[in-house]
């Protein structure tokens, strides 16, 4: 609940992530009473509950109380407790625990990963939540999206490209049914399992491409233009 696995942008790859043994102590303002909207400002009641319910974590942070208490003097110990994260938890923080697509903010390749393990992310990553995430993961890792990506995402110094929302917004994505998403769910689960075992995934990637080509009703000529490009 508190000790959350965290990923950095460079650790997210196509259908895989690097295990880094890094964790975030996620302690919102007024934790563990952070869902009580009646608490305004620092709360001794919240601190006592934290100390009682999460003794090991509280004792660990207590070793650094002096340093933590010296952060932002206008707010620490006033708006939030000395042990809490300094920045206010955004209203979407619970989405980190949902199934989601995660990817770095800048990349040379196509690094989209379907995450169901509740990873938190640093500021070099983005995430997508919502419906039909398996289908979208397959689409973003596909030759079709590679074609869109090269033509619509500006190239930066060093050959990287910035995966900002403003560029995603111009890419038309076909809406699919739950049944179609189920097909991609099985395929994405398989390909991510193979990748985690460092086994080849080229054949299943080609299969995913062919399904997407048919789904988008591409002609033979269009398929040839897009082709199949192995993406790292």
């Amino acid at each position: 609940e508190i000790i959350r696995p965290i990923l950095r942008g460079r650790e997210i790859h196509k259908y895989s992530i690097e295990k880094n043994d890094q964790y975030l102590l996620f302690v919102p303002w007024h934790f563990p009473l952070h869902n009580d909207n009646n608490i305004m400002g620092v709360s001794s009641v919240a601190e006592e509950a934290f100390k009682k319910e999460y003794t090991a974590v509280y004792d660990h942070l207590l070793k650094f109380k002096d340093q933590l208490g010296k952060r932002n003097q206008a707010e620490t110990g006033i708006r939030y407790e000395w042990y809490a994260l300094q920045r206010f938890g955004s209203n979407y923080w619970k989405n980190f625990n949902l199934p989601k697509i995660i990817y770095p903010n800048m990349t040379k390749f196509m690094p989209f990963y379907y995450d169901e393990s509740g990873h938190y992310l640093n500021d070099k990553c983005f995430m997508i939540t919502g419906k039909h995430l398996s289908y979208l993961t397959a689409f973003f890792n596909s030759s079709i999206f590679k074609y869109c990506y090269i033509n619509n995402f500006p190239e930066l110094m060093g050959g990287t490209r910035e995966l900002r929302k403003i560029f995603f917004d111009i890419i038309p994505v076909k809406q699919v049914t739950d049944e179609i998403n189920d097909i991609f769910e099985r395929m994405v689960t398989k390909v991510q399992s193979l990748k985690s075992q460092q086994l080849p995934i080229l054949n299943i990637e080609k299969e995913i491409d062919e399904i997407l080509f048919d789904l988008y009703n591409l002609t033979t000529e269009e398929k040839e233009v897009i082709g199949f490009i192995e993406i790292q």
Side-chain angles (χ1 to χ4, degrees):
E1 187 175 356
I2 298 177
I3 306 173
R4 308 302 307 164
I6 184 169
L7 291 172
R8 297 164 289 193
R10 64 179 180 269
E11 293 155 352
I12 304 174
H13 305 288
K14 182 183 183 184
Y15 291 125
S16 68
I17 54 174
E18 292 180 35
K19 299 295 185 181
N20 59 18
D21 202 30
Q22 298 291 312
Y23 296 85
L24 168 73
L25 283 177
F26 184 75
V27 185
W29 292 8
H30 322 315
F31 187 84
L33 307 181
H34 52 292
N35 291 320
D36 186 346
N37 295 325
N38 293 318
I39 297 178
M40 303 295 292
V42 66
S43 170
S44 59
V45 176
E47 180 173 354
E48 190 59 33
F50 184 27
K51 180 179 180 180
K52 180 179 179 181
E53 297 176 29
Y54 302 89
T55 305
V57 179
Y58 181 86
D59 288 347
H60 170 73
L61 292 176
L62 194 61
K63 300 174 187 177
F64 308 98
K65 184 174 181 179
D66 288 344
Q67 297 98 309
L68 292 170
K70 291 176 182 177
R71 296 173 298 162
N72 193 346
Q73 296 293 295
E75 295 187 340
T76 306
I78 300 172
R79 296 187 69 193
Y80 51 84
E81 299 73 22
W82 62 267
Y83 57 80
L85 290 169
Q86 180 172 314
R87 297 295 297 272
F88 178 73
S90 64
N91 293 329
Y92 60 82
W93 68 267
K94 292 182 180 179
N95 288 352
F96 285 107
N97 298 319
L98 299 176
K100 58 187 180 293
I101 301 171
I102 56 178
Y103 57 98
N105 62 341
M106 289 188 292
T107 179
K108 289 183 179 180
F109 307 108
M110 305 298 297
F112 294 89
Y113 178 76
Y114 180 51
D115 177 52
E116 293 183 293
S117 299
H119 283 94
Y120 280 43
L121 309 171
N122 72 356
D123 62 344
K124 302 302 180 184
C125 311
F126 293 125
M127 67 177 178
I128 299 172
T129 58
K131 291 185 62 177
H132 300 157
L133 295 179
S134 295
Y135 156 67
L136 288 173
T137 303
F139 175 79
F140 290 140
N141 282 317
S142 72
S143 294
I144 292 180
F145 186 71
K146 170 82 170 182
Y147 186 78
C148 299
Y149 166 79
I150 291 173
N151 287 282
N152 293 288
F153 289 74
E155 187 173 355
L156 306 175
M157 186 177 298
T160 61
R161 295 176 189 269
E162 192 172 8
L163 299 177
R164 293 176 57 192
K165 180 179 182 294
I166 187 174
F167 305 125
F168 275 95
D169 283 345
I170 63 176
I171 306 297
V173 181
K174 189 178 184 69
Q175 300 294 311
V176 299
T177 63
D178 293 342
E179 289 73 22
I180 294 295
N181 185 71
D182 289 344
I183 294 172
F184 285 104
E185 183 175 355
R186 291 191 291 271
M187 301 186 78
V188 168
T189 298
K190 180 179 180 180
V191 74
Q192 292 196 168
S193 175
L194 291 171
K195 196 75 179 289
S196 69
Q197 301 172 65
Q198 298 184 326
L199 295 173
I201 62 171
L202 187 60
N203 287 339
I204 191 169
E205 284 187 284
K206 288 182 177 179
E207 187 179 349
I208 288 172
D209 265 2
E210 287 297 334
I211 294 174
L212 286 168
F213 288 163
D214 291 341
L215 187 65
Y216 277 76
N217 298 315
L218 299 187
T219 65
T220 301
E221 291 75 17
E222 288 169 334
K223 292 178 183 180
E224 290 175 354
V225 170
I226 291 175
F228 177 82
I229 305 171
E230 183 177 2
I231 310 161
Q232 300 299 319

